[in-house]
Amino acid sequence: TDKHVDAALLIHARNKKYPLSPTIHRYTTENSLYSIMSSGQEVGEIFGDGTGPATALLRSPTVIILAVGLWGMNVALFRLFGIDYAHVLTLDLIKEKEANSRKDGGGGGDSKDNAGSDLCSAGSSGMEKRHTTTSSGSNSKNHHQHIRHHDPTANTENQVTAPKLIVFSLSLLLLLHISTVIWIRVIEGSTIGAIFAFYIAVVIGIALPLPSTTWIRTACGTVFHRAFELINPRCFCLQSGVPRAVPFIDVFFADAMCSLSKVFFDWGMLLHLAWHYPAPVPMEWDTIVIPSIAASLPYLIRARQCIVMHTIGSMKSDPKRYQHMLNAIKYSTSLWPLIVSAYQKVVTTEEEKATLEKVLIVLFVINSTYSLAWDIIMDWGMMQNPQAMVPESCSGGGPISGSKPQSCAHSVLRSRLRFGASSSVGILLIDMILRYSWLLRFWEKDLFPSSDIYILCTQFLEALRRALWNLLRVEWENIKQTRGKEPEKDIEMTEKDPFFPVAAMTMTAREGFKQES
């Protein structure tokens, strides 16, 4: 087509440093399609040559680097407030190991080497290995007591710590900048080459057998192993019995991938650009379908986990099994904007585009509202029964129980807030705002100097929202675990039993480990 010819001429003109013709300039200004992606579930554009500054190709590594640094912030806050996040993430794996050992006749107390190797194969960090070592030779009850009393701040060579993660993310950001400048400005190469050069440099740097990077290789092994578990079947069609329950660490990992949906789309786009390079990507169905499928993979994986848990609940006659299906429906509401947005990129008439835009807005509202409600009630265990306590505690009626008064925030949210009432309310409000960050699309031209910066900003906001979400999600899972709730019976759903007494809210981090046991 004429557009493809103009795009090819554009590449030739840029590579040869010829001045752009009016026709080519009109193509770049009127038909550049890099400026439409504006939501976590909306499809970005891939048609064109992929050249120019910033560009969509640099977004994915930048967002991944930011996610690494924000996880360092999570680790620092978990340690500050006395939450042993490694134990919270791996408790289901430990219990699954103990259950398998009892079935095999080995009892609940495995040997030190056997238990340690199991957690290593499950992609555990140094802290997780220490939990297993501490529990060797004890029964299941003493095992969990040992873990609670274990000091999570103990330092080991392979342990993932906040300073290491932050320094690592800053190093990656510096490497990305240097590799991009050298490849594009010095060598005068393409953006695609700069991105591949960055990824290759990262792989080589991590693979070098340096003692200082051992923890990075261990962490990468954890990530790759958990990524494999996301697609690993948890049932055996040729055998009878109940499918294996999805552990919390895989639920947590899949939720994190959902926030990186745009990164998966950018990787699909990178594949197409590399395949057609140096020609532009043609405007065909496969050029939209493949990146869109890549972007939808995290939601499909997470929905599959919910269906697996619903199947287990049905086989065990769990009255709460319907909540897993409601959760699967929530993730399906993230897929519809992807589908509509992908179709929107191939329609030709303005009327169709305007109609699809309205449909897209409705789908965004449904998804954001549904997800926000699930965040607060199910993922964080808050506002489960606010009417029972709001009239007395928030209207000046005095404390509802015990000798210590209960704040309005504790009454409305939940009676135990490890991060404090002010921080918890602040995280809730920020999450509420960022869930509707797609509204920035209406002020894109007024707030952002370019579409690239706007798109990168929306990805940054989603990464930040996920980091804040992580705090309350791990906190709530920790509260459920320390209350004696059996995760293998109900891994990812909230409890409705009575909460801890009011006095538990005043515990310090160290006192918390003592009283919880």
Side-chain angles (χ1 to χ4, degrees):
T1 63
D2 293 339
K3 290 183 178 180
H4 292 165
V5 173
D6 285 343
L9 292 174
L10 172 63
I11 298 174
H12 178 76
R14 282 177 176 170
N15 291 339
K16 299 299 182 180
K17 300 181 181 180
Y18 294 153
L20 298 179
S21 67
T23 302
I24 297 177
H25 181 73
R26 184 175 65 254
Y27 172 79
T28 59
T29 56
E30 297 180 0
N31 298 300
S32 178
L33 300 177
Y34 280 109
S35 60
I36 303 179
M37 183 169 66
S38 59
S39 173
Q41 294 81 38
E42 190 173 1
V43 172
E45 291 295 348
I46 64 174
F47 305 126
D49 62 323
T51 59
T55 77
L57 299 182
L58 294 176
R59 291 198 304 257
S60 53
T62 306
V63 174
I64 293 175
I65 293 171
L66 175 66
V68 173
L70 289 174
W71 178 244
M73 177 201 72
N74 286 151
V75 172
L77 290 175
F78 288 144
R79 294 185 181 278
L80 179 63
F81 287 90
I83 298 177
D84 194 346
Y85 73 95
H87 168 57
V88 174
L89 293 176
T90 57
L91 179 60
D92 293 332
L93 298 178
I94 296 173
K95 289 191 173 184
E96 185 179 19
K97 168 67 179 180
E98 293 174 347
N100 293 335
S101 299
R102 286 192 294 268
K103 290 181 180 179
D104 296 338
D110 284 345
S111 64
K112 174 180 176 180
D113 294 337
N114 195 16
S117 62
D118 176 73
L119 281 180
C120 288
S121 64
S124 62
S125 64
M127 179 179 289
E128 298 161 14
K129 298 175 187 177
R130 293 199 309 277
H131 294 325
T132 309
T133 304
T134 307
S135 64
S136 61
S138 63
N139 57 29
S140 178
K141 180 178 179 180
N142 291 333
H143 164 75
H144 300 304
Q145 290 179 346
H146 280 304
I147 292 179
R148 291 190 187 113
H149 286 288
H150 180 72
D151 182 9
T153 62
N155 186 25
T156 60
E157 182 180 354
N158 295 336
Q159 183 178 339
V160 177
T161 63
K164 289 180 180 178
L165 288 169
I166 294 174
V167 171
F168 180 54
S169 63
L170 293 176
S171 301
L172 290 177
L173 187 62
L174 180 62
L175 177 61
L176 177 63
H177 177 71
I178 293 176
S179 60
T180 303
V181 170
I182 293 178
W183 194 274
I184 296 179
R185 297 184 180 179
V186 178
I187 306 179
E188 296 185 351
S190 64
T191 308
I192 297 178
I195 297 302
F196 279 112
F198 167 74
Y199 284 134
I200 293 174
V202 171
V203 171
I204 294 176
I206 294 176
L208 291 177
L210 300 176
S212 59
T213 58
T214 302
W215 70 275
I216 302 178
R217 290 188 291 274
T218 302
C220 289
T222 301
V223 171
F224 287 128
H225 185 90
R226 297 332 305 175
F228 171 77
E229 286 297 322
L230 295 181
I231 60 175
N232 185 28
R234 306 199 69 80
C235 59
F236 302 94
C237 300
L238 300 179
Q239 299 179 3
S240 60
V242 180
R244 293 187 298 121
V246 181
F248 175 68
I249 187 172
D250 289 346
V251 172
F252 188 81
F253 190 77
D255 278 329
M257 288 176 57
C258 290
S259 291
L260 298 177
S261 175
K262 286 183 180 180
V263 173
F264 285 88
F265 182 91
D266 289 341
W267 283 343
M269 180 180 65
L270 178 62
L271 176 63
H272 270 296
L273 289 172
W275 181 265
H276 293 279
Y277 185 82
V281 178
M283 187 176 291
E284 298 175 354
W285 270 103
D286 63 319
T287 56
I288 274 293
V289 171
I290 293 179
S292 300
I293 292 176
S296 65
L297 282 178
Y299 302 108
L300 294 173
I301 291 173
R302 190 66 189 89
R304 172 182 171 270
Q305 290 178 338
C306 297
I307 294 175
V308 169
M309 294 304 299
H310 180 268
T311 303
I312 296 175
S314 299
M315 299 178 69
K316 294 184 177 181
S317 299
D318 184 0
K320 296 182 179 180
R321 62 183 180 274
Y322 70 93
Q323 296 182 359
H324 293 295
M325 190 56 63
L326 292 177
N327 202 9
I329 294 174
K330 183 198 72 172
Y331 289 104
S332 70
T333 63
S334 300
L335 295 175
W336 288 110
L338 274 171
I339 297 173
V340 174
S341 179
Y343 178 71
Q344 189 183 36
K345 304 308 180 290
V346 295
V347 297
T348 56
T349 64
E350 293 298 328
E351 293 183 0
E352 286 183 297
K353 290 183 179 180
T355 302
L356 291 175
E357 182 72 11
K358 295 178 181 178
V359 173
L360 209 53
I361 295 299
V362 173
L363 294 175
F364 285 153
V365 171
I366 295 174
N367 174 254
S368 299
T369 305
Y370 198 156
S371 300
L372 176 63
W374 196 274
D375 286 345
I376 298 172
I377 300 174
M378 305 301 290
D379 289 338
W380 299 341
M382 297 177 175
M383 295 185 179
Q384 293 190 348
N385 190 19
Q387 295 181 353
M389 294 180 288
V390 170
E392 297 184 16
S393 60
C394 296
S395 61
I400 60 172
S401 62
S403 58
K404 295 184 179 180
Q406 192 173 43
S407 68
C408 180
H410 285 91
S411 299
V412 175
L413 301 181
R414 49 177 150 81
S415 57
R416 191 171 182 213
L417 300 172
R418 294 288 294 270
F419 293 104
S422 300
S423 299
S424 299
V425 171
I427 293 174
L428 189 151
L429 293 177
I430 294 175
D431 182 81
M432 181 184 303
I433 295 173
L434 296 182
R435 275 294 185 186
Y436 293 89
S437 61
W438 53 268
L439 291 173
L440 291 173
R441 62 189 286 137
F442 297 115
W443 299 278
E444 174 187 348
K445 296 181 179 179
D446 298 330
L447 298 177
F448 302 95
S450 67
S451 60
D452 280 322
I453 296 179
Y454 162 65
I455 297 170
L456 187 61
C457 178
T458 58
Q459 291 185 329
F460 280 179
L461 291 177
E462 175 58 22
L464 175 61
R465 189 201 66 79
R466 179 60 62 180
L468 297 175
W469 180 92
N470 290 341
L471 298 176
L472 297 185
R473 183 66 184 94
V474 173
E475 176 209 21
W476 176 235
E477 192 69 19
N478 176 246
I479 291 174
K480 292 194 295 183
Q481 291 174 356
T482 54
R483 292 184 67 251
K485 183 177 177 66
E486 296 295 333
E488 65 265 24
K489 181 179 179 181
D490 187 2
I491 292 178
E492 61 172 335
M493 295 190 299
T494 58
E495 58 189 6
K496 295 184 181 295
D497 298 332
F499 292 106
F500 274 95
V502 180
M505 296 185 300
T506 61
M507 293 189 302
T508 62
R510 294 188 178 275
E511 290 172 346
F513 280 100
K514 295 179 181 179
Q515 295 187 24
E516 287 166 7
S517 60

